[in-house]
Amino acid sequence: MNLLTIGKLAAAAGVSTDTVRFYERSGLLPPPARTEANYRLYPQQTVKRLKFIRRAKALGFTLNEIRELLALRHDPDSTKAEVKSFTENKIEDIRQRIADLQRILATLEHLAGACDGHGPADDCPILAAMDDDLRGECQLAGHHARCRPAGG
Amino acid sequence: MNLLTIGKLAAAAGVSTDTVRFYERSGLLPPPARTEANYRLYPQQTVKRLKFIRRAKALGFTLNEIRELLALRHDPDSTKAEVKSFTENKIEDIRQRIADLQRILATLEHLAGACDGHGPADDCPILAAMDDDLRGECQLAGHHARCRPAGG
DNA sequence: CTTGACTTTAGACCATGGTCCAAGGATTAT
DNA sequence: ATAATCCTTGGACCATGGTCTAAAGTCAAG
């Protein structure tokens, strides 16, 4: 049998039937053919489409972005340049997220290093750093974060 | 005046009044005193508490985690060890997220590098990598991703 | 006294990515 | 034939972190 019911499709692609219907509602899967009893019938191809979605998701693309990628993938007029540019935008996006997390990580490591871990929390430098108005600002601020060495 | 209405509090802390009420509903702020007209009245202290929340958020803590941090901060029995351990868990969490993003980044950079950017998208290696069943699996898979060099 | 700014509440709504449920019809296995 | 699955639909619900609205009450300035 070369056509799949939703359950077979979902099992083959490793998602739930709910997810398949959700993707259809979201425009990631086209409305499929139906049996006389109104059951959805999918070609084998759709398994690949679902796996494509899974892969793209694993690569950090949102469902909205995946919808665009699928459009590029199926539009004969689309170009490699478009796909590449799309990917490069995502690369920039992910680099930015990594940079943000690395800044946060450095601050947390700094704070954890400043805490000896002994005694009551009321003078814990970690809490103090979040508490105080200006100490720690340079680590926490973000974009224009230049850290003056605590001079007075 | 040492007590603040919600608007003054929000302005002083750099959040919206909606956010202040939302934090109260969420248990991040205790229910404040009220005027006879049922207006919320906050001590100056609450400005600091809100700023603490902002800082902790900037450090990647979720509101649930911040609720726990606030509990540690205000419980005289809590210890530095607890706060430090909490922070170290978050550090591990963030390291993991960075590692995930770096893996994704490497794959995307690899794919972008494999695409010359010329011609129609139908044989674009980026799309192909998401499309194919096994090619690219090692880059996309995750935890146990060891990349066999395309051997047969 | 009136206007405008502030506050109150409950509840809806946003995006993200689904998951779960109920009530009913279809199909398959025994 | 009948029970166990499977499928259909619409809609509610989950977490996250808020934002917005409406209708009503309150407060400060002119």
Side-chain angles (χ1 to χ4, degrees):
Chain A
M1 164 197 298
N2 61 336
L3 290 180
L4 304 166
T5 59
I6 194 170
K8 309 286 186 189
L9 170 71
V15 299
S16 73
T17 57
D18 277 328
T19 297
V20 173
R21 293 193 198 94
F22 171 71
Y23 284 172
E24 181 182 332
R25 281 203 300 286
S26 310
L28 292 166
L29 294 177
R34 301 286 185 135
T35 67
E36 289 188 21
N38 205 30
Y39 281 25
R40 289 173 178 80
L41 277 187
Y42 297 93
Q44 292 289 340
Q45 217 186 352
T46 307
V47 177
K48 291 201 171 191
R49 193 170 172 113
L50 275 171
K51 287 187 175 176
F52 179 97
I53 293 171
R54 286 187 59 184
R55 272 146 210 291
K57 239 158 56 70
L59 282 172
F61 291 99
T62 66
L63 295 189
N64 279 334
E65 290 165 340
I66 294 169
R67 189 164 32 242
E68 294 184 63
L69 279 173
L70 285 165
L72 288 176
R73 179 177 175 241
H74 292 289
D75 175 2
D77 290 342
S78 65
T79 62
K80 285 204 192 80
E82 290 175 285
V83 177
K84 188 169 182 176
S85 154
F86 202 96
T87 303
E88 281 167 347
N89 283 343
K90 197 71 197 174
I91 286 172
E92 256 326 288
D93 176 26
I94 288 174
R95 280 192 184 134
Q96 185 60 57
R97 279 153 66 191
I98 290 173
D100 288 345
L101 286 173
Q102 277 173 337
R103 196 169 34 69
I104 287 168
L105 179 63
T107 303
L108 287 178
E109 284 172 337
H110 176 76
L111 292 178
C115 178
D116 62 17
H118 297 301
D122 61 352
D123 65 338
C124 174
I126 299 172
L127 294 180
M130 301 194 208
D131 227 357
D132 292 349
D133 254 356
L134 287 172
R135 277 188 287 266
E137 181 80 76
C138 54
Q139 287 114 4
L140 300 172
H143 293 262
H144 47 267
R146 70 223 125 94
C147 196
R148 281 176 312 165
Chain B
M1 171 198 293
N2 63 336
L3 291 180
L4 305 167
T5 58
I6 195 170
K8 308 288 185 187
L9 171 70
V15 300
S16 73
T17 57
D18 277 329
T19 298
V20 172
R21 294 194 197 94
F22 172 71
Y23 284 173
E24 182 182 332
R25 281 201 302 284
S26 308
L28 292 166
L29 294 178
R34 300 286 186 134
T35 67
E36 288 188 22
N38 204 31
Y39 281 24
R40 289 171 177 83
L41 277 186
Y42 297 93
Q44 292 288 340
Q45 219 187 350
T46 308
V47 177
K48 290 200 171 190
R49 194 172 172 112
L50 275 171
K51 286 187 175 176
F52 180 98
I53 295 171
R54 287 187 58 185
R55 273 148 210 292
K57 240 159 55 69
L59 282 172
F61 292 99
T62 66
L63 294 190
N64 280 334
E65 289 164 339
I66 293 169
R67 192 167 26 245
E68 295 185 62
L69 279 174
L70 285 165
L72 288 177
R73 179 175 175 244
H74 292 290
D75 175 2
D77 291 341
S78 64
T79 62
K80 285 203 194 79
E82 290 176 283
V83 178
K84 188 169 182 176
S85 156
F86 202 95
T87 304
E88 280 167 349
N89 284 343
K90 197 71 199 175
I91 285 172
E92 255 327 286
D93 175 25
I94 289 174
R95 281 196 183 127
Q96 187 59 57
R97 279 154 66 192
I98 289 173
D100 288 347
L101 286 173
Q102 278 173 337
R103 196 171 32 69
I104 288 168
L105 179 62
T107 304
L108 287 179
E109 283 171 336
H110 176 77
L111 292 178
C115 178
D116 62 16
H118 296 299
D122 60 352
D123 65 338
C124 174
I126 299 172
L127 295 179
M130 302 193 207
D131 227 356
D132 292 349
D133 254 357
L134 288 173
R135 276 186 290 265
E137 182 81 76
C138 55
Q139 286 117 1
L140 299 174
H143 292 263
H144 46 267
R146 70 225 126 96
C147 196
R148 281 177 311 167

